[in-house]
Amino acid sequence: MQSLKQVLEMKNQQIHQQEKKILELEKLAEKNIILEEKIQVLQQQNEDLKARIDQNTAVTRQLSEENANLQEYVEKETQEKKRLSRTNEELLWKLQTGDPTSPIKLSPTSPVYRGCASSGPSSPARLSTTPR
């Protein structure tokens, strides 16, 4: 009888320990489920961020191309403006000095003539190097 009681006590302890283990495993299973859900959420966020990065990269590429095109356009416009400015200064100098090859003559009373007379340099070489 005594030995049966001891065997029963040992079996009860084993059962109690197994119940504790089962509870711990159930808690771990719940934690795993929660962690798996978090992983799914994070994976979705990661995919969304990758898509945004790809989109931003495409936009950046497009803007870089547009910027390069605009810089090229500005450079061409600047060169054309300089060319026109040099041509204008040369023509004004020819008018001012009475160059015989110039088709137009200004009278000393002309407002353009007066503007030319007070505008500074008097040679085409000096006019073409003047920064504007």
Side-chain angles (χ1 to χ4, degrees):
M1 187 95 141
Q2 188 69 16
S3 66
L4 278 177
K5 279 186 179 181
Q6 285 179 348
V7 169
L8 280 176
E9 258 184 61
M10 286 176 25
K11 291 289 181 182
N12 280 338
Q13 285 178 353
Q14 282 179 344
I15 291 172
H16 186 64
Q17 287 174 351
Q18 285 179 345
E19 286 175 348
K20 278 185 180 179
K21 283 184 181 180
I22 289 172
L23 283 176
E24 287 176 12
L25 290 174
E26 286 175 349
K27 287 180 184 178
L28 283 175
E30 288 175 14
K31 283 183 182 179
N32 281 344
I33 291 171
I34 292 171
L35 290 175
E36 285 174 356
E37 290 172 355
K38 285 183 180 181
I39 286 173
Q40 287 177 348
V41 168
L42 291 173
Q43 284 175 337
Q44 183 61 43
Q45 288 177 347
N46 193 24
E47 289 175 20
D48 292 346
L49 290 173
K50 284 180 182 179
R52 286 177 59 189
I53 286 172
D54 291 343
Q55 184 180 15
N56 285 343
T57 301
V59 169
T60 299
R61 237 182 253 122
Q62 180 184 0
L63 289 174
S64 292
E65 289 174 13
E66 288 179 18
N67 186 34
N69 291 338
L70 288 172
Q71 285 179 345
E72 185 179 326
Y73 174 77
V74 165
E75 182 63 29
K76 286 179 182 178
E77 288 293 316
T78 301
Q79 294 300 322
E80 181 65 11
K81 184 178 177 184
K82 287 179 183 178
R83 186 191 67 77
L84 289 172
S85 180
R86 284 191 303 268
T87 302
N88 188 37
E89 289 176 0
E90 190 177 308
L91 290 172
L92 285 173
W93 182 81
K94 286 180 180 180
L95 286 172
Q96 190 177 11
T97 59
D99 185 348
T101 61
S102 175
I104 302 172
K105 299 291 182 192
L106 292 179
S107 69
T109 59
S110 166
V112 174
Y113 180 86
R114 278 187 256 133
C116 292
S118 64
S119 68
S122 60
S123 76
R126 287 177 53 191
L127 285 174
S128 65
T129 59
T130 305
R132 294 276 174 201

